C-alpha cells in the first residue's frame, strides 16, 4: 500500500484518472477504522482489508510493476527535464529494449548459410 501511495504522490508518474480514482478508493477504505470489520477487533479486524487488497491487487499489479521499473530507471539514469520528459525518456528506453530484444530474436532464427546448398559443396576430410 505504501508503494501505491507513493505512486499517487509522484509528479513524474502520470497514471490515468481512472487508476488514480481506484487506488484512492482502495486506500481510503484501508485507512478507515470502522469499515466492514472494525479494525479494533483483535485478530479479525483487518481481515476485510487484507481480502480487499488481495482481490484488488491484480488491477494494480501492472501499474505498480511499471512504477517500480520507472523508479529504478530514474534513480540510476537521472533523466533531465520536466516530469513528462523524464517519463518519456523511460518509455523511449523501454521501447529501445523491446526493439533490441526483437532484433535478437530475429537474428537467432536466422541461419549462417542457406539450407538448400548443393550436396558435396563442403567436404570434411
Amino acid at each position: 500500500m505504501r508503494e501505491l501511495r507513493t505512486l499517487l504522490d509522484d509528479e513524474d508518474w502520470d497514471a490515468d484518472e481512472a487508476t488514480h480514482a481506484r487506488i484512492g478508493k482502495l486506500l481510503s477504505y484501508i485507512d478507515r477504522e470502522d469499515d466492514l470489520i472494525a479494525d479494533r477487533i483483535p485478530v479479525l479486524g483487518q481481515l476485510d482489508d487484507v481480502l480487499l487488497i488481495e482481490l484488488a491487487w491484480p488491477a494494480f499489479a501492472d501499474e505498480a510493476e511499471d512504477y517500480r521499473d520507472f523508479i529504478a530507471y530514474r534513480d540510476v539514469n537521472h533523466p533531465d527535464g520536466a516530469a513528462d520528459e523524464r517519463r518519456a525518456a523511460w518509455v523511449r528506453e523501454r521501447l529501445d529494449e523491446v526493439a533490441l530484444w526483437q532484433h535478437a530474436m530475429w537474428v537467432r532464427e536466422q541461419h549462417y548459410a542457406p539450407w538448400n546448398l548443393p550436396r558435396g559443396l563442403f567436404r570434411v576430410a
Side-chain angles (χ1 to χ4, degrees):
M1 295 298 95
R2 181 179 20 229
E3 184 175 43
L4 292 179
R5 290 180 203 282
T6 305
L7 180 150
L8 286 180
D9 295 336
D10 193 337
E11 70 176 22
D12 288 355
W13 193 252
D14 60 350
D16 60 74
E17 291 299 318
T19 301
H20 270 269
R22 287 193 309 270
I23 292 172
K25 287 179 182 180
L26 174 65
L27 293 175
S28 68
Y29 183 86
I30 301 296
D31 291 341
R32 288 179 48 193
E33 295 289 326
D34 61 337
D35 44 21
L36 187 60
I37 303 173
D39 291 348
R40 65 182 175 280
I41 298 174
V43 182
L44 299 176
Q46 293 184 328
L47 180 62
D48 60 326
D49 298 344
V50 171
L51 289 173
L52 182 60
I53 292 168
E54 183 67 27
L55 293 172
W57 185 253
F60 306 122
D62 289 340
E63 189 80 22
E65 183 178 346
D66 287 347
Y67 181 66
R68 270 184 246 119
D69 184 57
F70 173 71
I71 293 301
Y73 168 79
R74 185 174 63 183
D75 291 346
V76 169
N77 296 316
H78 307 289
D80 294 327
D84 58 337
E85 294 169 330
R86 290 188 292 269
R87 175 83 185 259
W90 170 72
V91 169
R92 278 192 309 276
E93 177 111 0
R94 293 306 168 252
L95 289 174
D96 289 346
E97 286 179 5
V98 168
L100 182 61
W101 180 80
Q102 287 174 333
H103 177 72
M105 295 303 293
W106 179 82
V107 167
R108 188 174 294 140
E109 293 173 2
Q110 304 306 309
H111 304 286
Y112 288 105
W115 287 104
N116 59 354
L117 288 175
R119 285 197 170 267
L121 182 63
F122 295 106
R123 208 174 85 184
V124 178

